[in-house]
Amino acid sequence: MLDDSLSSSSQLDSPRFTPLRLTSRRRRLVVTSAAVLSVISILVLAYLSSSRPLLLVPQDPILPPKDDTPPLDRKSVLLGPPTGRFRDNLRNDTKYITSWISAGWTNDVMTYGNLIYLATLTERVPIIGPFTPSHIGGDAGNVLFGDVFDIDYLSEKIGMPVLEWHEVKNLSTPEIEDIGCWSVWQAVQVRESTPRGTNALNLQGLDISFTAGPKWLQKIPGYEHDPHAHFWSIASLLYSPAREESLIPPQPSEVHGALLPPDEHLACFDYLYYVCAHTSFEYQQDMSPAWRFVTQHFRWTNRLQSIADGYLRRMLSVPDDEPIPPYIAIHARRARDFLVYCNGQNKEYCFPSIATYQRRIEEIQEETRERLGIFPQHVVMLSDEEESDWWDSIRAVGWYAPDHVAEDTVNKYGKWYPVLIDAVIQSSGIGLIGMDGSTMSLLAGRRVQDWHNGVFKNIKWGSPDADDH
Ligand SMILES: Nc1nc2c(ncn2[C@@H]2O[C@H](COP(=O)(O)OP(=O)(O)OP(=O)(O)O)[C@@H](O)[C@H]2O)c(=O)[nH]1
Ligand SMILES: [Mg+2]
């Protein structure tokens, strides 16, 4: 319905709304203004024609707008090069966050992913440590996060600088500094009364005084089978009023016996593996925000990818000037903890047979053919299996595998590299058959899905018919 005041003909006809009916004073004003404008126009035209030709057509072709955003300068959130004490390198106008790892390599990748996701939620710059060799022998030494993953790419993708500890503090003989941190671990489980062990003292020279987090951090408080906490429960400890309400007497630090409340400039937590937004072990769910917003942007460094590509080329006999064909990778966990889960059954009974793998291969080929018009013919096996008979049986059916002994991988690159190269190969195909329960399979599968639009299938195991479907 129209507004009455506007639709009334009496108002529309009135002098107030008729610009042509000018008074003589207004007419004089209009004439003077027109004259002044004409003079200005003539002067401007005269100036333009004397100084340069008038442009009637655009000089440049129409280009898409340029992305003028300068590349993100990660180090801008530091005062300068690494200092003896980390505090001397932190900016007063910036807040930071850190945490530590303490499990197998893939779990540690996920833990750093959780830390960085928490950093994005709390608008704090994450500072991350190296990967430490929990399962590949202590003599392997540490490997920098930035030697495995492209940290500049990651920072660009998440729109936030990600720092490594060695960029903040001089770690050659780290000066021991006291700091207060929250222990999430003391809050979310009942088996251990101490904070989760960290390597902060050895690696970063941090002598930590822990404050146990409140029991409500645990997703199901007191439930001994699930030590998960929610991202936002942990985040709330960095804000008022949860912080003040949760402060209890801190525990003395190991070296100096310092008693410190959790640091507000550099927030720190002992362990962030068991963290989710909604569901425990959430990386298994497509909704996993840590995966979608952070960990999927952990891309291999160019160096690591090209080392792995070299292995693939030699394995599949692909010359340097030809593309590596799309292939299906299989990740077969057959040792250590997975063997223990077999409860004494022999491996042939417990782990998937070649025929079981073959069925999954055909399913993936069918799906990539239908969905992508690609029919991958090469199959590459990656495994922690050490028995040569099993590897012979794999090669006998025409599947490929990197030969880290013949390639002398450990001597050439170091002890980390068989597993790193295998992880890159697992995630660079168009399909992955993973081992149910393996986080290494899970992340590789997510990469295949999200980086290459490929297919990920986990295989069930434990008995010969476990994967029947
Ligand atoms: N070279 C190689 N080593 C593997 C492979 N799969 C597992 N491993 C080794 O077995 C170890 C598995 O133990 P974890 O470190 O606990 O593995 P994770 O990365 O946590 O992953 P999952 O235990 O599978 O969940 C790895 O660290 C590797 O040393 C593989 O495909 N290739
Ligand atoms: Mg493991």
Side-chain angles (χ1 to χ4, degrees):
M1 193 178 136
L2 279 170
D3 183 336
D4 278 346
S5 63
L6 287 178
S7 59
S8 132
S9 60
S10 64
Q11 273 200 1
L12 283 173
D13 285 341
S14 80
R16 263 179 66 213
F17 294 95
T18 313
L20 291 175
R21 294 185 187 175
L22 300 173
T23 61
S24 61
R25 198 164 148 259
R26 289 178 81 189
R27 199 177 300 126
R28 261 201 313 279
L29 191 66
V30 169
V31 170
T32 316
S33 310
V36 169
L37 277 176
S38 310
V39 171
I40 290 172
S41 308
I42 289 164
L43 287 174
V44 168
L45 275 175
Y47 169 76
L48 286 177
S49 51
S50 67
S51 57
R52 62 189 175 101
L54 280 175
L55 291 175
L56 299 178
V57 286
Q59 242 179 351
D60 303 317
I62 296 167
L63 295 169
K66 271 194 189 146
D67 182 5
D68 287 336
T69 332
L72 194 134
D73 177 10
R74 288 192 303 110
K75 307 278 180 61
S76 65
V77 288
L78 288 174
L79 293 177
T83 44
R85 295 166 51 83
F86 80 85
R87 288 189 196 283
D88 296 335
N89 208 356
L90 303 189
R91 292 171 57 121
N92 285 338
D93 59 1
T94 305
K95 288 186 169 183
Y96 306 80
I97 186 169
T98 195
S99 186
W100 293 273
I101 51 173
S102 124
W105 175 58
T106 312
N107 294 37
D108 292 345
V109 172
M110 295 155 91
T111 302
Y112 280 145
N114 288 347
L115 164 64
I116 299 170
Y117 180 58
L118 187 62
T120 64
L121 296 182
T122 56
E123 298 171 289
R124 285 169 173 267
V125 172
I127 309 179
I128 44 183
F131 290 113
T132 47
S134 47
H135 287 44
I136 51 173
D139 58 332
N142 302 330
V143 63
L144 291 178
F145 181 93
D147 285 345
V148 179
F149 299 113
D150 185 336
I151 201 163
D152 289 319
Y153 175 89
L154 168 66
S155 302
E156 287 288 345
K157 287 307 261 192
I158 66 171
M160 168 184 262
V162 176
L163 295 175
E164 291 190 89
W165 264 106
H166 69 91
E167 297 170 324
V168 180
K169 174 168 174 165
N170 183 347
L171 301 178
S172 46
T173 44
E175 190 176 324
I176 297 185
E177 288 173 89
D178 302 341
I179 185 169
C181 297
W182 288 104
S183 168
V184 176
W185 190 239
Q186 284 179 296
V188 295
Q189 49 81 47
V190 287
R191 278 179 294 122
E192 297 168 19
S193 59
T194 50
R196 183 85 177 199
T198 76
N199 40 28
L201 186 59
N202 286 338
L203 293 180
Q204 290 103 23
L206 299 176
D207 189 24
I208 304 177
S209 167
F210 278 107
T211 297
K215 288 291 174 194
W216 51 253
L217 277 184
Q218 190 179 4
K219 210 174 143 218
I220 310 167
Y223 181 55
E224 61 177 324
H225 302 295
D226 187 352
H228 275 81
H230 287 131
F231 282 106
W232 275 111
S233 305
I234 297 172
S236 74
L237 294 176
L238 306 183
Y239 301 93
S240 188
R243 175 185 162 83
E244 304 89 73
E245 287 172 2
S246 308
L247 285 177
I248 56 170
Q251 299 146 58
S253 70
E254 201 179 316
V255 183
H256 297 146
L259 294 171
L260 292 167
D263 204 274
E264 292 193 84
H265 199 185
L266 170 57
C268 44
F269 301 92
D270 53 352
Y271 194 48
L272 296 175
Y273 174 69
Y274 296 102
V275 188
C276 64
H278 180 256
T279 313
S280 303
F281 301 105
E282 200 164 67
Y283 274 89
Q284 294 171 16
Q285 315 265 324
D286 288 353
M287 60 80 73
S288 164
W291 169 259
R292 289 188 300 117
F293 295 118
V294 173
T295 315
Q296 72 150 316
H297 303 305
F298 287 13
R299 296 295 180 112
W300 309 117
T301 56
N302 287 338
R303 173 177 176 268
L304 188 54
Q305 182 73 56
S306 58
I307 292 174
D309 286 351
Y311 278 71
L312 279 165
R313 285 181 186 287
R314 290 188 290 281
M315 210 190 312
L316 308 178
S317 307
V318 181
D320 281 352
D321 54 354
E322 277 177 33
I324 295 166
Y327 61 88
I328 295 173
I330 302 175
H331 177 224
R333 282 294 313 272
R334 291 175 61 90
R336 304 174 180 84
D337 43 349
F338 279 56
L339 196 53
V340 174
Y341 299 139
C342 287
N343 290 325
Q345 299 286 356
N346 69 42
K347 288 186 190 176
E348 278 54 51
Y349 177 90
C350 181
F351 294 136
S353 65
I354 285 179
T356 309
Y357 280 125
Q358 191 59 48
R359 184 170 50 193
R360 290 293 187 179
I361 291 167
E362 283 160 20
E363 285 171 12
I364 293 182
Q365 285 171 328
E366 185 55 23
E367 188 174 333
T368 56
R369 190 183 57 77
E370 254 180 36
R371 191 162 58 78
L372 307 167
I374 297 172
F375 193 85
Q377 285 168 355
H378 301 81
V379 175
V380 182
M381 176 63 82
L382 299 309
S383 175
D384 56 353
E385 180 60 83
E386 283 173 359
E387 282 178 21
S388 56
D389 286 358
W390 183 80
W391 283 106
D392 290 344
S393 71
I394 294 302
R395 293 196 172 91
V397 289
W399 297 347
Y400 300 84
D403 189 340
H404 292 298
V405 177
E407 294 263 11
D408 204 17
T409 308
V410 171
N411 286 327
K412 248 191 232 160
Y413 301 108
K415 273 188 124 179
W416 272 97
Y417 280 75
V419 67
L420 292 178
I421 291 167
D422 286 4
V424 179
I425 294 176
Q426 285 161 21
S427 59
S428 301
I430 197 68
L432 177 77
I433 300 171
M435 193 87 177
D436 198 33
S438 162
T439 54
M440 190 171 180
S441 293
L442 176 64
L443 284 206
R446 290 235 166 276
R447 292 179 185 122
V448 166
Q449 286 176 316
D450 290 354
W451 296 356
H452 312 303
N453 197 15
V455 182
F456 169 37
K457 296 210 183 277
N458 249 341
I459 212 155
K460 298 249 188 293
W461 53 282
S463 65
D465 57 2
D467 194 52
D468 285 356
H469 55 282

